[in-house]
Amino acid sequence: MNAHLHAIETKVRDGVRLSKEDGLALFACQDLSWLGYLADQVRQRISGDYVYFNVNRHINLTNICTSRCKFCAFGCDADSRQAYQMSKERVLEIARQAATDPDLKELHIVSGLHPEWPFDYYVDVIASLKQALPAIHLKAFTAVEICHFAKVSGKPVREVLQILQAAGVNSLPGGGAEILSDRVRQALCPNKATAAEWLQASYEAHRLGLKSNASMLYGHVETLEERVDHLLALRALQDETGGFQTFICFPFHSKNTELEHLARTSQWDDLKTMAISRLLLDNFKNIKAYWIMLTLPLAQLALGFGANDMDGTVSEEKIMHAAGAKSAKSLEKTTIIETIRQVGRIPVQRDSMYNILKVL
């Protein structure tokens, strides 16, 4: 181990913030067990032995999308055979069925950027859901979608958020961040929110008291330096607002995308990226091992590399599976609990705001 890595270990032990140069050195390091050891120290200090999960249901209103990102297998044009769009009535039907589970606490709502739907449609859907299911937390619309709503409505981002908040949105999911690099976004997703716009929409949400998540889609055309810059951009905004609840690593799945020639990230890279995220994001309490993308066995292993959250039961995830995710589309609560217990951690059922419901 070289002198720089020894210095990083000392910083971690003493709770000193790591720099960009430290992040690059960590990505250059191939001592995976050491990286996991450091990340687990930080996890223990910040989060303890609790591993969180919730009972949630995903609803994707439409896959029709103007963005057509090169890394996405979910979005399509309106004339595609795979295209669908949900009526408000269908959304309510799905939500009411999901709510027959007494443990359900959250609806997770994200969609394609529909070219014709007015902003009023989304407001009406949220208001109707909140009226029908007032006790259910509505985690709805990524920062990218918020920017799209601002564009189609002609309203400022802050006003869009205020309207949705008044209608019943309780928090925002963390998708759409991808890699916060203008180079990457111009190459892969030039038709949606820029890095600055994603960060600004998140900032405005936090100012209004709306918590959100943050994420990183890695393993495509980004450089390791761009991964580090992405993490530091999130850390800087968290310093300013404190509004991010958790961070999620999304390894890129290339099947059925325009980047299908790219190989899936290695499990080594997945665990390394998880650990380094925990080490650099010192102001995030929660790091999520998203089993949908990682698979359940790797998500379980990630609990030893800095993660302290396993997302939830999910129920019918579509976006990642369109790109070839091999995991199940949902999990039973008992499976999540057993997965956590197997590594000697304490399963904790939470709500969307990380309030503890049950220590199991």
Side-chain angles (χ1 to χ4, degrees):
M1 186 183 298
N2 63 37
H4 191 177
L5 295 180
H6 275 297
I8 289 172
E9 183 167 359
T10 300
K11 280 185 174 183
V12 171
R13 185 191 64 216
D14 295 343
V16 176
R17 172 163 282 187
L18 301 184
S19 67
K20 177 176 178 176
E21 291 70 27
D22 295 334
L24 292 171
L26 291 171
F27 270 111
C29 175
Q30 293 301 328
D31 189 344
L32 188 62
S33 61
W34 178 75
L35 290 169
Y37 164 73
L38 289 186
D40 202 51
Q41 280 190 317
V42 175
R43 184 272 311 163
Q44 177 66 45
R45 185 165 65 230
I46 293 177
S47 308
D49 284 332
Y50 283 175
V51 175
Y52 297 96
F53 72 95
N54 71 347
V55 178
N56 59 348
R57 211 296 185 183
H58 283 213
I59 301 179
N60 304 119
L61 304 177
T62 183
N63 62 350
I64 299 171
C65 186
T66 62
S67 183
R68 303 312 311 276
C69 305
K70 290 183 180 180
F71 51 71
C72 182
F74 177 72
C76 64
D77 295 328
D79 59 0
S80 169
R81 291 177 60 186
Q82 288 76 40
Y84 76 88
Q85 49 190 354
M86 289 187 187
S87 65
K88 180 182 72 175
E89 290 71 26
R90 176 60 179 150
V91 176
L92 286 168
E93 180 185 358
I94 292 170
R96 287 192 176 106
Q97 175 60 36
T100 59
D101 181 347
D103 282 333
L104 183 81
K105 297 299 178 185
E106 173 189 290
L107 293 175
H108 178 117
I109 304 169
V110 296
S111 304
L113 309 182
H114 198 290
E116 296 179 3
W117 278 354
F119 177 47
D120 289 346
Y121 163 80
Y122 302 94
V123 177
D124 191 25
V125 165
I126 293 298
S128 299
L129 284 170
K130 186 57 71 174
Q131 182 177 14
L133 301 167
I136 300 298
H137 183 103
L138 300 182
K139 184 167 74 176
F141 310 129
T142 67
V144 165
E145 290 171 275
I146 298 300
C147 292
H148 174 69
F149 299 158
K151 181 179 178 180
V152 299
S153 69
K155 300 179 186 297
V157 163
R158 183 177 178 84
E159 185 178 346
V160 164
L161 287 163
Q162 288 173 319
I163 292 169
L164 289 170
Q165 187 176 30
V169 166
N170 301 113
S171 67
L172 274 60
E178 323 308 1
I179 292 289
L180 295 170
S181 155
D182 290 337
R183 183 194 72 83
V184 171
R185 297 178 89 84
Q186 188 58 40
L188 299 184
C189 51
N191 300 319
K192 72 179 185 185
T194 65
E197 288 169 340
W198 190 95
L199 290 166
Q200 184 63 30
S202 300
Y203 170 78
E204 294 292 354
H206 298 169
R207 284 185 64 204
L208 291 169
L210 287 167
K211 298 288 188 179
S212 70
N213 294 343
S215 64
M216 178 172 71
L217 179 72
Y218 65 93
H220 40 84
V221 304
E222 87 286 354
T223 64
L224 294 179
E225 183 175 9
E226 284 167 334
R227 288 192 201 181
V228 172
D229 287 341
H230 176 102
L231 293 169
L232 296 186
L234 295 176
R235 189 173 77 180
L237 182 56
Q238 182 75 331
D239 277 344
E240 189 171 359
T241 69
F244 289 124
Q245 296 202 102
T246 190
F247 171 77
I248 313 110
C249 290
F250 291 144
F252 174 57
H253 289 251
S254 67
K255 187 177 179 181
N256 302 321
T257 75
E258 293 184 42
L259 303 176
E260 196 159 4
H261 60 284
L262 296 179
R264 165 77 164 84
T265 56
S266 67
Q267 294 179 343
W268 189 278
D269 189 13
D270 293 338
L271 292 174
K272 178 190 278 193
T273 301
M274 183 75 67
I276 294 170
S277 297
R278 175 65 286 174
L279 292 168
L280 288 179
L281 296 177
D282 55 29
N283 52 5
F284 279 66
K285 182 176 181 182
N286 303 299
I287 303 292
K288 186 176 291 187
Y290 190 50
W291 61 264
I292 288 282
M293 295 290 273
L294 294 170
T295 72
L296 188 60
L298 191 57
Q300 183 186 52
L301 193 55
L303 296 178
F305 287 78
N308 71 304
D309 186 287
M310 290 197 68
D311 194 75
T313 53
V314 175
S315 184
E316 201 181 3
E317 194 284 330
K318 293 181 179 179
I319 296 174
M320 310 307 180
H321 283 89
K326 301 299 184 185
S327 56
K329 290 190 176 181
S330 64
L331 282 182
E332 293 294 329
K333 176 180 165 181
T334 52
T335 301
I336 297 177
I337 291 170
E338 180 60 23
T339 299
I340 295 167
R341 284 179 174 162
Q342 286 171 351
V343 299
R345 300 278 177 79
I346 302 168
V348 176
Q349 187 174 338
R350 61 169 175 83
D351 67 13
S352 302
M353 305 303 289
Y354 282 83
N355 297 307
I356 293 173
L357 301 176
K358 299 176 186 175
V359 178
L360 300 161

